[in-house]
Amino acid sequence: MAAGDRRRWLVLAVGVFAQAASCAFLYGLPALVPALRADEHLDLAGAGLVVAGPTIGLLATLIAWGAAADRYGERLVMAVGLALAAILVAVAALAVPGLTGFVVVLGLAGAAAASVNAASGRMVMGWFARDERGVAMGIRQTAQPLGVGIAALTLPGLAAHAGFRTALLLPAALCLAAAVLVLLLAADPARPDTDGTTRTGNPYRGGTLWRLHGASALLVLPQFAIAALAMEYLVGRRHWAALTAGAFLAAAQVLGALGRIGTGYWSDRVGSRLRPMRQLAVASAAVMLAFALGDAVAPWLAVLAIAAGSVITVADNGLAFTATAELAGLSWSGRALGIQNTGQNVISSLTPPLLGLIVGASNYSVGFLSAAIFPVLAIALTPVAAEHRARSTRAAPVG
């Protein structure tokens, strides 16, 4: 695709809306935790299992959707998945009375919504040149904090007036609208890759992509530690009003979205995705430690850590996605992004219930001290030197 083709920005805008719509459902459920616990009489660990339901479903189909995008194109895959997700979320909200069945149907909706994760990233890979991809993927990655921000701003109020199930009709409607827009306005990239990232060999024969996937998965835990527990911490521990906490978290998510664009621009300028990613891992560990200290001795510091963490812990996602797509090559990018998402969502699915158990058995300080271990491990695992070699040779990644 020519760099001057303006259609790429329209396609990117549609992709961002599609991803935000799915994320309002996939990752916005923590905004309903106070209402869910009150209506269903659940402890924090039980509520965490409900929140994890959609991402557990996501895990089952990410790689398959990525392979489908590699073969059939992004537009069809995204539209079908979004439409199915909209229907299933509406069914869960309106027609499934028991909590077990409710979680199962939400898991199926998550499996359908997984189509957007790999396909929209692959679309960016095809429409944008190398020196624009950091910014473009950063813009695409704003969809998750924007979707979570929409959920934080709207779902608590809807749940207070109509119940947590009825509140889910909003993300269902957003997914349906996104499916229509994808069909009408999005287009698959019309050119093969021409900047050295098309490869015929299997990029997983070396160790670089596996290390990248591992580091990226480790960095998800701090992100979801904040996403899953911030609302409950502010409302239950600090006694904020639910609407006030929702507005605070929504504002933090907007800052997180802007941060992703900034880190994408940063990576384009320095010619590396993984050096900035490693530096952000250091900052993420510092945020977890600041929250733990703040909860123990200075509540204002914990609140500040939530705000800072909402920006820092999400900033690396676009870098990891862009690096994955570039190191895998266009012909493998859908599958590689599916594998990338799978590893991340294993951690995101486990984080709410496991961290809820730790916090329930001890306190928030211990929980977030535990969370700090993961970004520290990611610092060592991020394959910065291998990325430099791959860029220098314009060849498949090596271990």
Side-chain angles (χ1 to χ4, degrees), residues 224-236:
F224 277 84
I226 291 177
L229 296 180
M231 175 67 78
E232 177 64 20
Y233 179 80
L234 294 174
V235 174

Side-chain angles (χ1 to χ4, degrees), residues 39-307:
D39 289 354
E40 299 290 339
H41 309 290
L42 297 174
D43 60 14
L44 192 58
L49 287 172
V50 177
V51 168
T55 51
I56 291 172
L58 195 80
L59 292 174
T61 58
L62 275 168
I63 297 174
W65 281 121
D70 285 338
R71 181 166 184 177
Y72 300 111
E74 299 87 348
R75 177 172 169 267
L76 177 63
V77 164
M78 290 170 65
V80 169
L82 284 164
L84 285 173
I87 293 168
L88 288 165
V89 173
V91 168
L94 299 175
V96 182
L99 190 61
T100 299
F102 176 76
V103 174
V104 169
V105 177
L106 288 184
L108 293 173
S115 64
V116 185
N117 291 51
S120 61
R122 191 184 189 282
M123 187 175 284
V124 171
M125 181 72 176
W127 275 90
F128 287 86
R130 183 188 292 276
D131 61 356
E132 293 181 322
R133 281 190 198 133
V135 169
M137 194 70 87
I139 293 172
R140 182 259 189 188
Q141 291 297 102
T142 65
Q144 183 171 327
L146 288 175
V148 174
I150 290 169
L153 193 61
T154 60
L155 295 187
L158 290 172
H161 286 90
F164 76 91
R165 288 175 179 265
T166 302
L168 286 173
L169 294 178
L170 175 62
L174 291 174
C175 286
L176 184 60
V180 173
L181 287 176
V182 167
L183 283 175
L184 294 178
L185 300 177
D188 294 335
R191 67 159 175 82
D193 185 72
T194 58
D195 64 1
T197 56
T198 295
R199 303 184 180 99
T200 57
N202 184 342
Y204 285 96
R205 289 173 181 163
T208 299
L209 276 173
W210 292 117
R211 288 180 60 193
L212 174 55
H213 295 333
S216 182
L218 290 169
L219 288 173
V220 164
L221 189 135
Q223 175 186 339
F224 277 84
I226 291 177
L229 296 180
M231 175 67 78
E232 177 64 20
Y233 179 80
L234 294 174
V235 174
R237 174 92 164 140
R238 297 302 166 200
H239 310 295
W240 288 28
L243 292 179
T244 302
F248 173 79
L249 295 175
Q253 291 295 327
V254 172
L255 293 176
L258 295 175
R260 293 187 184 209
I261 298 173
T263 54
Y265 179 82
W266 175 19
S267 75
D268 284 339
R269 300 287 72 79
V270 301
S272 172
R273 316 300 179 194
L274 300 187
R275 275 191 289 123
M277 179 175 158
R278 185 167 59 186
Q279 292 165 11
L280 287 167
V282 175
S284 184
V287 165
M288 295 295 99
L289 294 173
F291 184 98
L293 179 63
D295 179 61
V297 300
W300 65 267
L301 181 59
V303 174
L304 181 62
I306 289 174

